[in-house]
Amino acid sequence: MSEQPAATTEHPVAAWSEDDLGVEGRVLDVVRAPAVVLSTVGEPVDPCSPDSVQLAADLVATMRVSPGCVGLAAPQVGVSAQMFCVDVSEHPKTRGHHGTFVLCNAEVVASSRNEKAREGCMSVPDLTGDVKRASRLTVRGRLPGTGEEVEIETSAFEARALQHEIDHCQGLLFVDRAAGAHAIYSRKTYL
């Protein structure tokens, strides 16, 4: 019996590109707290609808022109929907990543190893805060355009970014997760 090399297939999330959407993203304004949409649970979306496909492209386009931004959720552009984009590939805290991707109707299916770290947010630009989040994470969601269900196992900084964006879709900001007022700080630098 001959030994065959293991087949390697790229994870569908890592293979995804905004080019797959077939529409050009528009740069949208980012809303700031206390906008009501930021404290509202987003509606589930049909990942294949034309509106969802356009929103996915818009989220990526807006994230790309925002210095230091590693993720952006639909509520942050004023749309109460469960969709977000993430790309931590250029951040210095990143160890592993899946590149740029958008998830619809994402949910955490497994998490472990809580760690505290500092977070900031474009919708709360004047503050940062220490937030405990799982450093190992499994998230399930659907890709826009195809509606393919995907499961992402990730860790460290990408895991933190995913939880931050899922919170946005659930009407929560990082300040809602900080361990009290003593864990909230004035931002000292702007990117």
Side-chain angles (χ1 to χ4, degrees):
M1 184 169 134
S2 65
E3 193 168 310
Q4 297 288 325
T8 56
T9 57
E10 192 171 18
H11 191 281
V13 170
W16 185 88
S17 162
E18 66 264 35
D19 294 339
D20 298 342
L21 297 171
V23 295
E24 189 163 333
R26 304 165 297 190
V27 175
L28 304 177
D29 291 333
V30 175
V31 300
R32 294 180 176 191
V36 172
V37 69
L38 294 172
S39 58
T40 303
V41 176
E43 294 293 324
V45 298
D46 172 357
C48 297
S49 78
D51 288 346
S52 293
V53 170
Q54 183 64 59
L55 178 59
D58 294 347
L59 287 171
V60 172
T62 305
M63 176 178 69
R64 291 212 189 283
V65 300
S66 306
C69 184
V70 296
L72 193 66
Q76 292 182 273
V77 294
V79 179
S80 183
Q82 294 192 24
M83 183 188 299
F84 62 84
C85 66
V86 165
D87 183 356
V88 301
S89 62
E90 300 295 321
H91 197 280
K93 292 181 181 175
T94 296
R95 289 186 220 149
H97 64 84
H98 291 82
T100 303
F101 60 92
V102 178
L103 288 182
C104 304
N105 310 322
E107 61 179 346
V108 174
V109 294
S111 63
S112 63
R113 296 192 178 184
N114 282 342
E115 292 179 1
K116 184 171 65 175
R118 189 70 53 93
E119 292 186 17
C121 179
M122 290 175 61
S123 294
V124 190
D126 297 328
L127 300 174
T128 62
D130 291 332
V131 179
K132 272 190 177 179
R133 296 197 189 268
S135 62
R136 289 191 176 186
L137 191 72
T138 304
V139 169
R140 182 183 303 130
R142 293 192 178 273
L143 294 174
T146 64
E148 179 182 3
E149 184 175 280
V150 293
E151 204 165 277
I152 301 170
E153 291 182 24
T154 189
S155 61
F157 191 67
E158 189 177 61
R160 178 167 294 277
L162 282 166
Q163 291 166 91
H164 182 108
E165 302 311 328
I166 290 171
D167 272 358
H168 273 301
C169 294
Q170 296 302 313
L172 297 171
L173 299 171
F174 76 87
V175 292
D176 298 315
R177 296 276 191 196
H182 65 281
I184 305 287
Y185 309 92
S186 293
R187 183 181 289 273
K188 293 180 180 171
T189 58
Y190 292 88
L191 294 173

